[in-house]
C-alpha cells in the first residue's frame, strides 16, 4: 500500500492514541498465567500485540476482544496447553523473546517463528540465559527463529545482561517465575521497567535496587483490571510533527510517562522544544498524562551512551527532527538499531538521502547536519513500521507531495496512524 503525504501548514488538535505496545504485550502474557480473569482496557491495536494474543489462545488461554478491551481468563502458572501448531510471532520481537521465557518452563515442546524480518533477528541473547536455566532450545543456525523450545523444570539464575534489552530482561524474569528460589537480573543500563511494574501489580514478589532486579519464583499471580496508557513511542511521531510545522498546537491525552520511557521528553525539552505535561496520574503503577506541544525551533545535539538505549525506538523520527534542527543531530552507540525490524541506521539514511537530506551513516549511528530542507520524494518503509511513520512526518515538511511505499507496515504498532495524521492538518 502506498500513502501520499502532502506538506502540512500546521499540526493542531487534540488526540488520543492506541495503548502502549510494550505494556500490552506484558499484560497479556502475565494475565494468561495468572489465576482468574483480567480485563485490559485500551489494549494496543497493533498487529504485534495481536500476535501475542493469538499465541496465548493457541496455548489454550481464553481471550476475548471487544474493541480495544481484552478479557483474558488466566490459566494459572501451570495451566497452559500444548499448541496444535507452531506459534507465529509475526513481526514481533517482543512476542518471541518475552514469551520464550514462559515457553521454556512448560512440560511440552513448542516451536515459535515469525515473518521474514523476525527470522533475521538475533535470539542468542535469550537462548543463552534460558539454557543456563535448564531449557533446551534449538534455533536456525543456532541463533535465528524459528526456535524449538523443550522446556521443563527451570533453575533460578543470577544473570547479568550483556546487552541493554528490556525484552531479554523480561524473558529471564518470566522464566524466573517458574524457577524455585530467587532469580536475579542485573542490567548494564536501566531499560524500560514495565515488566517489573506489571509483575508487582499481578502480585509477584519483586525487589528492585538500582539496576538489579530480584524475583521470587513460583508466586501466585492474580487477574487484574488494567488500563493501558497511550504509547509514548507512537506519540513521538506527532510530537515531532507539531514541533516542526509552524503554528502548531497539539494535545495528546493519556500518554504513558513511565520515567524509563520519557527520556524522549527530557531530551526534546533540553533542545528547546515547547512541551508541557499536565494531568499526570498513576494507573496500575504506570504514569500517564497529557502532552501539549507547540511548534519550536530545536537546537539539535548528540544522542549517545545510556540516552541511546532509552531513545532507541524514537531515533528514526528524531533523525528527521535533527535534519531540521539548528545544529544537527549525531547519534552514537546505536549498533542495536541495525538489528531492529530493519537496519534502521541504513533505512533512515536511505530515506533521508531520497529527500535530498545529507546524513552520514556511522557504524553505530548517524551524523545529520542541521538546517536542511526536505524535498518531496518516493520513500519506502522497507517493511518497518517506525520507518513508515517517521518518513510520513518528514514528508509533512517537504516542498511537495511525497509517496510512501509499503505504508501498511505502520499497522504493526499503529494501524490508525495515517488516519490520525490526516485529522490534524
Ligand atoms: C521493547 C524493548 C526494546 C524496544 C522494543 C520494545 C520492550 O527492544 O526496541 O520496541 O517492550 O521490551 P530491546 O529489548 O531489544 O532493546
Amino acid at each position: 500500500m502506498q500513502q501520499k503525504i502532502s506538506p502540512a501548514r500546521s499540526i493542531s488538535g487534540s488526540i488520543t492514541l492506541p495503548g502502549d505496545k510494550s505494556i500490552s504485550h506484558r499484560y497479556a502474557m502475565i494475565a494468561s498465567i495468572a489465576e482468574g480473569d483480567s480485563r485490559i482496557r485500551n489494549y494496543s491495536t497493533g498487529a504485534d500485540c495481536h500476535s501475542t494474543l493469538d499465541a496465548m489462545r493457541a496455548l489454550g488461554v481464553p481471550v476475548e476482544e471487544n474493541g480495544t478491551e481484552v478479557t483474558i481468563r488466566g490459566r494459572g502458572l501451570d495451566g497452559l496447553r500444548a499448541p496444535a501448531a507452531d506459534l507465529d510471532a509475526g513481526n514481533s520481537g517482543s512476542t518471541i523473546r518475552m514469551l520464550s521465557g514462559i515457553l521454556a518452563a512448560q512440560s511440552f515442546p513448542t516451536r515459535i517463528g515469525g515473518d521474514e524480518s523476525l527470522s533475521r533477528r538475533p535470539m542468542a541473547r535469550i537462548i543463552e540465559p534460558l539454557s543456563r536455566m535448564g531449557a533446551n532450545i534449538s534455533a536456525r543456525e543456532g541463533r535465528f527463529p524459528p526456535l524449538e523450545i523443550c522446556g521443563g523444570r527451570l533453575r533460578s539464575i543470577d544473570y547479568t545482561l550483556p546487552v541493554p534489552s528490556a525484552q531479554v530482561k523480561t524473558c529471564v524474569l518470566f522464566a524466573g517465575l517458574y524457577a524455585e528460589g530467587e532469580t536475579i537480573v542485573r542490567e548494564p543500563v536501566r531499560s524500560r521497567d514495565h515488566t517489573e511494574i506489571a509483575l508487582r501489580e499481578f502480585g509477584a514478589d519483586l525487589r528492585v535496587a538500582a539496576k538489579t532486579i530480584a524475583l521470587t519464583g513460583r508466586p501466585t499471580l492474580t487477574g487484574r483490571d488494567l488500563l493501558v496508557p497511550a504509547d509514548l513511542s507512537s506519540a513521538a511521531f506527532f510530537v515531532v510533527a507539531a514541533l516542526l510545522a509552524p503554528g502548531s498546537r497539539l494535545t495528546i491525552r493519556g500518554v504513558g510517562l513511565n520515567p524509563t520511557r520519557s527520556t524522549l521528553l527530557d531530551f526534546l525539552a533540553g533542545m528547546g522544544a515547547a512541551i508541557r505535561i499536565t494531568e499526570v496520574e498513576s494507573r496500575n503503577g504506570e504514569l500517564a498524562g497529557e502532552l501539549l506541544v507547540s511548534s519550536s525551533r530545536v537546537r539539535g545535539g548528540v544522542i549517545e551512551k545510556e540516552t541511546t538505549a532509552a531513545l532507541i525506538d524514537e531515533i528514526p523520527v528524531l533523525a528527521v527532527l535533527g535534519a531540521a534542527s539548528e545544529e544537527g543531530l549525531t547519534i552514537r552507540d546505536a549498533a542495536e538499531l541495525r538489528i531492529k525490524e530493519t537496519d534502521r541506521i541504513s533505512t533512515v539514511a536511505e530515506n533521508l538521502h531520497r529527500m535530498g537530506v545529507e546524513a552520514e551513516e556511522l557504524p553505530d549511528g548517524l551524523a545529520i547536519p542541521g538546517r536542511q530542507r526536505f524535498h518531496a520524494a518516493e520513500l519506502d518503509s522497507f517493511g518497518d513500521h517506525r520507518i513508515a511513520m517517521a518518513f510520513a512526518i518528514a514528508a509533512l515538511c517537504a516542498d511537495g507531495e511525497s509517496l510512501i511505499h509499503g505504508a501498511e507496515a505502520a499497522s504493526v504498532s499503529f494501524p490508525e496512524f495515517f488516519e490520525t495524521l490526516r485529522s490534524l492538518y
Side-chain angles (χ1 to χ4, degrees):
M1 182 180 87
Q2 300 172 352
Q3 284 280 350
K4 287 184 187 155
I5 305 284
S6 47
R9 272 200 211 92
S10 74
I11 291 288
S12 293
S14 175
I15 50 174
T16 47
L17 300 175
D20 187 88
K21 180 160 91 71
S22 294
I23 297 175
S24 296
H25 282 299
R26 289 158 168 83
Y27 283 174
M29 290 183 202
I30 303 171
S32 297
I33 54 169
E35 309 273 349
D37 292 0
S38 290
R39 182 169 70 123
I40 310 171
R41 282 177 297 143
N42 201 34
Y43 191 81
S44 165
T45 53
D48 271 9
C49 291
H50 284 82
S51 295
T52 288
L53 292 185
D54 288 342
M56 300 326 305
R57 288 186 179 108
L59 289 161
V61 181
V63 177
E64 282 163 36
E65 287 178 73
N66 184 359
T68 59
E69 185 174 311
V70 176
T71 304
I72 297 185
R73 305 205 181 289
R75 308 265 308 158
L77 266 187
D78 301 309
L80 299 182
R81 263 200 333 247
D86 292 355
L87 299 177
D88 182 5
N91 191 243
S92 176
S94 297
T95 306
I96 192 168
R97 293 200 180 117
M98 304 199 298
L99 188 55
S100 292
I102 294 174
L103 298 176
Q106 303 305 314
S107 54
F108 50 82
T110 40
R111 198 162 182 271
I112 181 165
D115 69 8
E116 202 209 321
S117 154
L118 190 73
S119 303
R120 279 179 286 155
R121 298 187 64 190
M123 296 295 142
R125 53 186 62 193
I126 58 160
I127 295 173
E128 203 253 326
L130 292 178
S131 305
R132 279 179 50 187
M133 294 178 85
N136 202 324
I137 303 180
S138 53
R140 190 175 58 79
E141 293 173 30
R143 58 204 158 113
F144 298 116
L147 305 179
E148 284 185 29
I149 305 178
C150 278
R153 277 181 80 87
L154 299 180
R155 295 183 286 278
S156 54
I157 51 169
D158 182 335
Y159 191 65
T160 301
L161 294 180
V163 277
S165 165
Q167 291 175 353
V168 179
K169 169 175 68 176
T170 302
C171 171
V172 177
L173 290 174
F174 282 178
L177 289 172
Y178 288 87
E180 298 291 344
E182 196 174 62
T183 289
I184 296 174
V185 180
R186 301 174 196 274
E187 299 193 89
V189 172
R190 188 119 177 75
S191 65
R192 62 190 72 189
D193 65 353
H194 304 303
T195 302
E196 296 90 310
I197 293 173
L199 282 174
R200 272 213 198 101
E201 190 69 13
F202 278 88
D205 176 17
L206 181 136
R207 294 151 311 280
V208 181
K211 289 178 277 184
T212 301
I213 303 128
L215 171 74
T216 306
R218 306 291 319 171
T220 300
L221 304 169
T222 312
R224 302 282 302 163
D225 212 343
L226 303 146
L227 176 60
V228 182
D231 198 318
L232 178 60
S233 300
S234 298
F237 301 104
F238 297 100
V239 169
V240 170
L243 292 175
L244 286 173
S248 298
R249 245 181 108 70
L250 177 67
T251 303
I252 313 178
R253 292 188 298 267
V255 183
L257 295 173
N258 178 312
T260 61
R261 293 282 292 285
S262 61
T263 306
L264 170 71
L265 302 175
D266 303 332
F267 181 73
L268 290 172
M271 294 205 301
I275 303 176
R276 244 187 49 212
I277 301 171
T278 59
E279 319 266 330
V280 179
E281 57 176 15
S282 175
R283 308 165 171 177
N284 307 111
E286 291 280 356
L287 290 181
E290 187 167 295
L291 303 181
L292 179 65
V293 190
S294 313
S295 29
S296 314
R297 284 207 154 280
V298 298
R299 267 191 298 282
V302 180
I303 301 177
E304 62 183 348
K305 301 184 184 147
E306 302 90 68
T307 312
T308 305
L311 294 176
I312 200 79
D313 289 341
E314 288 77 57
I315 286 177
V317 77
L318 290 174
V320 170
L321 181 68
S325 68
E326 298 293 303
E327 294 159 15
L329 184 69
T330 301
I331 298 145
R332 294 199 201 101
D333 307 315
E336 278 284 310
L337 273 185
R338 293 205 184 270
I339 47 173
K340 292 291 178 186
E341 286 82 334
T342 58
D343 172 345
R344 288 184 176 156
I345 294 180
S346 95
T347 48
V348 165
E350 169 67 26
N351 277 331
L352 288 174
H353 294 157
R354 288 189 193 183
M355 300 188 88
V357 172
E358 222 182 287
E360 188 194 342
E361 230 188 89
L362 311 171
D364 64 344
L366 288 158
I368 307 165
R371 294 177 179 253
Q372 301 195 68
R373 292 198 181 287
F374 295 90
H375 299 291
E378 290 210 16
L379 302 163
D380 207 315
S381 73
F382 300 99
D384 183 333
H385 57 128
R386 298 202 200 277
I387 299 297
M389 295 188 276
F391 283 88
I393 304 308
L396 294 178
C397 312
D399 52 7
E401 190 179 82
S402 295
L403 197 60
I404 302 181
H405 294 281
E408 70 282 356
S411 64
V412 156
S413 60
F414 193 172
E416 311 82 352
F417 172 78
F418 288 100
E419 201 186 314
T420 309
L421 185 61
R422 294 223 158 79
S423 74
L424 296 174
Y425 77 105

